[in-house]
């Protein structure tokens, strides 16, 4: 549908600094490049393990590394970017020039889906840069300071979902390689009958999470008085996309497997950008049902947090068990 507004045109009309628009154009272009490699997979030798582990002690896939290289190179070459940080890099990388923005990203979220041809995506958070060469401390801004957040979902369609702090818009990649507006004013329904959690961790959860999930599993016969459906794509980007499209809750709570870790997901490049998108779409994004992720003051670049986000009334129900 060539009569649909392009991302480029949308950014042209946006009341935002030119530098920020440039950063978003660069990210959108890098996501098209990542999409090409993801789509070709084995044809270009991109599947399988890279042989290395990242700073989180997770096995890196070749596509994690390739995606990280694509985004890092594109952003560091952008005059508006002062530095980048990524799930796949131990510390921050300053650009060799000044710039007004910092970008943090998970270059390929849902890595365990790569080799089975299931959805994966890219998540990006954009912050203002301080004067001078940015240090790690300069990236430790709360999620409320984000000037933009977006993800690209490499699914049945390739989509880019973006907020610059005033609503959420979705763009679909056309056959001729252009992002076109297909989802204006994305809104999360306040009520839902769908939840997403990795049920195999059930025995490790806290009592409160056990109670909540027990209640939804009992359906119409239990305290909630209605039947629930469950979905788990094992890629946060795809689970959050489903919630933006038709409501639901996504839960990755603290559990007893590694009790010293507050959760599995990372605050700076998973929790914060997704929280801004969900809040901007009218949903709630919390650590425990009550504390807003966006208000968490980060202490470390690769900090982990528990996540409970999605349909507002269902997040309240999660908080209330
Ligand atoms: O980045 C972490 C991640 O891959 C998320 O995208 C996803 O929601 C989660 O981990 C999947 O976790 P699990 O391996 O427990 O299913």
């Amino acid at each position: 549908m060539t009569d649909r507004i392009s991302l480029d045109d949308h950014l042209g009309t946006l009341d935002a600094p030119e530098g920020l628009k440039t950063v978003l154009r660069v990210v959108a272009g890098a996501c098209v490049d990542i999409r090409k490699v993801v789509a070709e997979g084995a044809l270009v030798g991109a599947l399988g393990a890279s042989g290395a582990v990242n700073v989180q002690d997770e096995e890196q896939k070749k596509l994690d590394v390739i995606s990280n290289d694509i985004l890092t190179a594109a952003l560091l070459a952008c005059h508006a970017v002062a530095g980048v940080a990524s799930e796949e890099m131990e510390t921050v990388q300053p650009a060799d020039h000044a710039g007004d923005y910092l970008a943090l990203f998970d270059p390929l979220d849902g890595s365990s889906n790569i080799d089975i041809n299931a959805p994966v995506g890219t998540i990006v958070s954009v912050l203002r840069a301080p004067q001078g060469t940015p240090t790690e401390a300069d990236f430790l801004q709360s999620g409320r300071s984000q000037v933009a957040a977006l993800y690209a979902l490499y699914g049945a369609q390739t989509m880019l979902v973006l907020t610059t702090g005033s609503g959420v818009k979705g763009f679909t990649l056309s056959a001729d390689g252009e992002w076109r507006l297909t989802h204006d004013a994305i809104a999360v329904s306040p009520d839902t009958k769908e939840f997403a959690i990795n049920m195999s961790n059930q025995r490790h959860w806290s009592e409160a999470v056990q109670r909540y999930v027990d209640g939804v599993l009992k359906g119409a016969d239990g305290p909630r008085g209605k039947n629930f459906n469950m979905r788990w794509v094992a890629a946060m980007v795809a689970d959050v996309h489903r919630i933006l499209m038709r409501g639901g809750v996504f839960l990755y709570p603290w559990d007893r497997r590694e009790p010293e870790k507050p959760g599995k997901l990372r605050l700076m490049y998973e929790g914060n950008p997704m929280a801004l998108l969900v809040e901007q779409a009218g949903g709630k994004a919390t650590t425990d049902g009550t504390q807003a992720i966006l208000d968490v003051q980060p202490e470390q670049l690769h900090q982990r947090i528990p996540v409970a986000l999605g349909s507002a009334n269902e997040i309240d129900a999660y908080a209330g068990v």
Side-chain angles (χ1 to χ4, degrees):
M1 296 289 289
T2 47
D3 56 343
R4 291 180 185 273
I5 185 171
S6 68
L7 175 64
D8 209 36
D9 288 346
H10 167 68
L11 292 174
T13 63
L14 205 64
D15 181 20
E18 283 309 313
L20 177 59
K21 296 180 189 182
T22 304
V23 175
L24 296 174
R25 287 190 180 100
V26 165
V27 170
C31 290
V32 174
D33 292 343
I34 293 171
R35 168 65 189 178
K36 279 186 198 141
V37 194
V38 167
E40 291 199 297
L43 290 175
V44 290
L47 300 190
S50 75
V53 290
N54 65 14
V55 60
Q56 347 254 348
D57 244 0
E58 296 163 342
E59 183 195 66
Q60 278 178 323
K61 299 285 173 88
K62 285 182 196 165
L63 268 170
D64 288 323
V65 178
I66 295 167
S67 307
N68 191 59
D69 289 349
I70 290 172
L71 254 180
T72 303
L75 282 166
L76 289 180
C78 170
H79 66 82
V81 173
V84 300
S86 157
E87 178 181 4
E88 305 302 337
M89 303 190 301
E90 188 163 350
T91 188
V92 304
Q93 277 204 38
D96 57 11
H97 53 255
D100 291 335
Y101 298 97
L102 305 174
L104 298 97
F105 45 87
D106 179 349
L108 205 64
D109 176 63
S111 302
S112 69
N113 281 354
I114 291 173
D115 294 341
I116 59 164
N117 196 3
V120 288
T122 298
I123 309 173
V124 182
S125 162
V126 185
L127 297 166
R128 281 194 195 83
Q131 296 282 313
T133 305
T135 64
E136 196 164 307
D138 294 320
F139 284 73
L140 301 182
Q141 305 176 33
S142 80
R144 294 255 175 244
S145 311
Q146 293 174 102
V147 291
L150 66 90
Y151 64 78
L153 172 61
Y154 314 119
Q157 298 104 45
T158 299
M159 283 194 66
L160 189 146
V161 176
L162 167 70
T163 183
T164 51
S166 169
V168 180
K169 292 191 186 297
F171 300 81
T172 303
L173 191 65
S174 68
D176 59 358
E178 190 82 55
W179 296 105
R180 295 207 174 269
L181 182 65
T182 46
H183 298 66
D184 207 358
I186 292 174
V188 178
S189 56
D191 292 298
T192 185
K193 292 181 175 177
E194 205 157 64
F195 70 105
I197 195 165
N198 183 341
M199 281 297 297
S200 69
N201 296 327
Q202 181 170 23
R203 68 193 182 285
H204 305 298
W205 299 331
S206 69
E207 294 303 312
V209 175
Q210 301 263 9
R211 266 199 308 279
Y212 170 77
V213 174
D214 190 52
V216 300
L217 289 177
K218 287 202 167 91
D221 303 328
R224 304 300 308 282
K226 60 180 183 180
N227 292 325
F228 281 77
N229 190 17
M230 199 199 88
R231 287 286 182 270
W232 186 249
V233 187
M236 185 191 198
V237 70
D239 278 313
V240 169
H241 187 70
R242 185 186 58 256
I243 287 167
L244 290 177
M245 293 297 108
R246 68 176 191 209
V249 289
F250 170 87
L251 309 170
Y252 214 118
W254 168 89
D255 67 48
R256 295 192 185 87
R257 283 173 299 170
E258 294 179 275
E260 72 290 353
K261 287 187 184 162
K264 175 174 185 186
L265 301 178
R266 275 53 60 106
L267 172 63
M268 300 303 294
Y269 38 78
E270 292 177 323
N272 274 341
M274 290 313 203
L276 188 62
L277 286 159
V278 168
E279 280 202 5
Q280 283 294 318
K284 286 194 176 177
T286 70
T287 57
D288 57 356
T290 55
Q291 185 197 29
I293 291 174
L294 294 179
D295 291 330
V296 174
Q297 179 52 51
E299 289 169 358
Q300 290 170 25
L301 192 58
H302 298 292
Q303 182 171 338
R304 293 170 190 262
I305 39 149
V307 172
L309 60 76
S311 294
N313 293 338
E314 196 54 35
I315 293 299
D316 290 345
Y318 178 75
V321 288

